[in-house]
Amino acid sequence: MKKTIHKNIIVVLTLLLFCQGYNSDNESDLFNSVAFSASLENQGVADGILSDEWFGFYFKGIKIGYLHSTISEQSSGYSGYSTGFMKINAGGSGAQETMLEEKLLVDKQYRLMSFYYRISSGNNAISMSGERAGNNLKVILDVGGNRKETIEKISGEIFSPLSLQLRFLKEGVKAGSKFSYVIYFQPAKKVSKVLVQVDKEKEIDFNGKKEKAFPVTEEIEGMKSTLWVSADGRKLKEKSFEGFEIRAETKDEAIDMKSGINIYDMLKLASVKTDIKIKNPSKAVSAEFRFQGMSEAAEIPRRKGQNIKSVVPGAK
């Protein structure tokens, strides 16, 4: 049960944000801010574009959004900039829209220099930024305006998710290779080891045609994902835990959000199976959830009808 709960923390936190503070007036503006965002030159990340890709974002085979990702080379190293958009139909209240933003900077050896992540929906936002200075990683977490700063002690080299992509783009993909590296894993707010294995190139069905790709397995904190990468380092698709998937698409295909999923179906698909039975479910008026792998109780939003009952000191 512990492993299952840990795997679902990101799903639960994302769904919590989806369900809170919807503002229908922001709907079209939010979509346009991602689909037709300012040029990369204005973002300061376009010195030398290495990749510029669009992806459809799916959950259990149903499209829920898209992602635009670029990687560029600069004099000091490399930068990655990604924006994403997710849309969940919220029944009678319209559609719930969520925006994702990520910025990563690494040096010429692909080592982490700084990062920034932000997820926002309506009036709710969570952001995390970090910058390395020597053996210290300064991390700032902002949850709904509540800001907390911590210092992580770093021994040895630390990388980022961008490091693996750069390795494939700059050095190629080698079947049979196995390696590991250390990153700052922001969902768990800690330094974690990533294990990578590249399997033999195979032919796969992709967007109605045959493509050759290398299956690449990543594992971090017990969670596994599989990427299919072309010989020149392009990511064709990626499947991660609990049914999330991204697929390479054209821009027009990616931003086509005619279809979608409603919040009730998504909650059902994301539900964790358990042997525990609810006594007299028709009379239940409250529910208690136990989270593991979260370092601070403050990371769980408090609202009317949603409070933290207790915190177990030293729990992992």
Side-chain angles (χ1 to χ4, degrees):
M1 178 62 74
K2 290 183 179 180
K3 190 172 183 180
T4 303
I5 292 174
H6 182 73
K7 285 186 176 183
N8 283 275
I9 282 178
I10 301 175
V11 176
V12 171
L13 290 179
T14 302
L15 292 175
L16 283 173
L17 195 57
F18 281 150
C19 296
Q20 299 164 3
Y22 171 65
N23 183 348
S24 60
D25 295 335
N26 293 334
E27 182 173 339
S28 59
D29 290 341
L30 184 57
F31 178 89
N32 290 331
S33 70
V34 182
F36 308 104
S37 57
S39 67
L40 291 171
E41 285 77 12
N42 292 336
Q43 299 291 349
V45 296
D47 291 358
I49 298 294
L50 297 177
S51 70
D52 187 343
E53 300 173 302
W54 288 84
F55 299 91
F57 188 26
Y58 296 82
F59 179 64
K60 300 291 181 74
I62 302 173
K63 191 169 189 178
I64 60 172
Y66 60 83
L67 177 70
H68 181 211
S69 178
T70 64
I71 299 175
S72 63
E73 186 168 5
Q74 301 172 325
S75 58
S76 58
Y78 304 92
S79 62
Y81 181 70
S82 299
T83 52
F85 173 85
M86 291 188 289
K87 180 178 179 180
I88 308 295
N89 297 320
S93 61
Q96 178 68 57
E97 299 190 337
T98 301
M99 182 177 176
L100 307 159
E101 184 178 13
E102 175 187 70
K103 296 178 183 179
L104 296 166
L105 290 176
V106 300
D107 63 18
K108 289 294 187 180
Q109 286 74 47
Y110 317 148
R111 296 173 299 197
L112 177 67
M113 296 169 63
S114 64
F115 66 83
Y116 175 79
Y117 302 96
R118 189 174 193 271
I119 176 170
S120 59
S121 181
N123 296 321
N124 298 283
I126 299 173
S127 67
M128 180 182 290
S129 60
E131 184 174 1
R132 179 166 187 178
N135 293 326
N136 292 327
L137 180 66
K138 178 182 176 182
V139 179
I140 299 174
L141 175 67
D142 189 313
V143 181
N146 295 318
R147 181 184 170 101
K148 181 176 182 180
E149 181 179 315
T150 58
I151 301 293
E152 298 281 345
K153 293 295 182 181
I154 305 297
S155 60
E157 297 181 322
I158 185 170
F159 298 86
S160 86
L162 179 62
S163 305
L164 182 61
Q165 295 173 270
L166 280 167
R167 177 171 178 157
F168 290 151
L169 285 169
K170 301 290 287 185
E171 302 174 18
V173 187
K174 299 177 183 178
S177 58
K178 296 181 181 180
F179 52 92
S180 64
Y181 58 99
V182 173
I183 68 169
Y184 183 76
F185 188 47
Q186 75 278 5
K189 287 182 61 184
K190 67 177 184 178
V191 175
S192 302
K193 180 181 288 188
V194 182
L195 306 176
V196 180
Q197 178 174 322
V198 183
D199 293 329
K200 292 182 180 179
E201 186 180 40
K202 61 173 65 175
E203 197 171 64
I204 63 172
D205 291 317
F206 182 69
N207 290 342
K209 59 182 180 180
K210 299 292 185 181
E211 290 267 8
K212 287 186 176 182
F214 295 88
V216 180
T217 303
E218 283 186 298
E219 181 175 352
I220 178 171
E221 294 293 319
M223 294 180 286
K224 289 185 178 181
S225 62
T226 302
L227 299 77
W228 281 264
V229 182
S230 65
D232 60 359
R234 290 181 300 112
K235 184 191 297 184
L236 299 181
K237 62 180 180 177
E238 178 178 355
K239 287 187 176 181
S240 58
F241 63 96
E242 301 303 333
F244 286 100
E245 180 180 2
I246 63 171
R247 306 172 192 168
E249 297 177 340
T250 66
K251 178 180 178 179
D252 289 341
E253 291 171 339
I255 67 175
D256 182 359
M257 291 296 299
K258 293 177 183 176
S259 61
I261 188 172
N262 66 62
I263 186 63
Y264 309 108
D265 287 340
M266 189 168 187
L267 286 168
K268 183 178 179 180
L269 290 169
S271 63
V272 180
K273 292 183 179 180
T274 176
D275 295 330
I276 300 174
K277 294 183 179 180
I278 299 175
K279 187 177 181 179
N280 298 325
S282 62
K283 297 182 178 180
V285 295
S286 65
E288 181 179 323
F289 299 91
R290 181 173 297 176
F291 294 89
Q292 291 181 303
M294 303 183 74
S295 57
E296 294 289 343
E299 295 175 16
I300 302 176
R302 292 176 172 86
R303 280 177 174 76
K304 182 179 179 181
Q306 177 176 298
N307 293 291
I308 298 172
K309 182 178 179 180
S310 63
V311 178
V312 180
K316 298 293 183 181

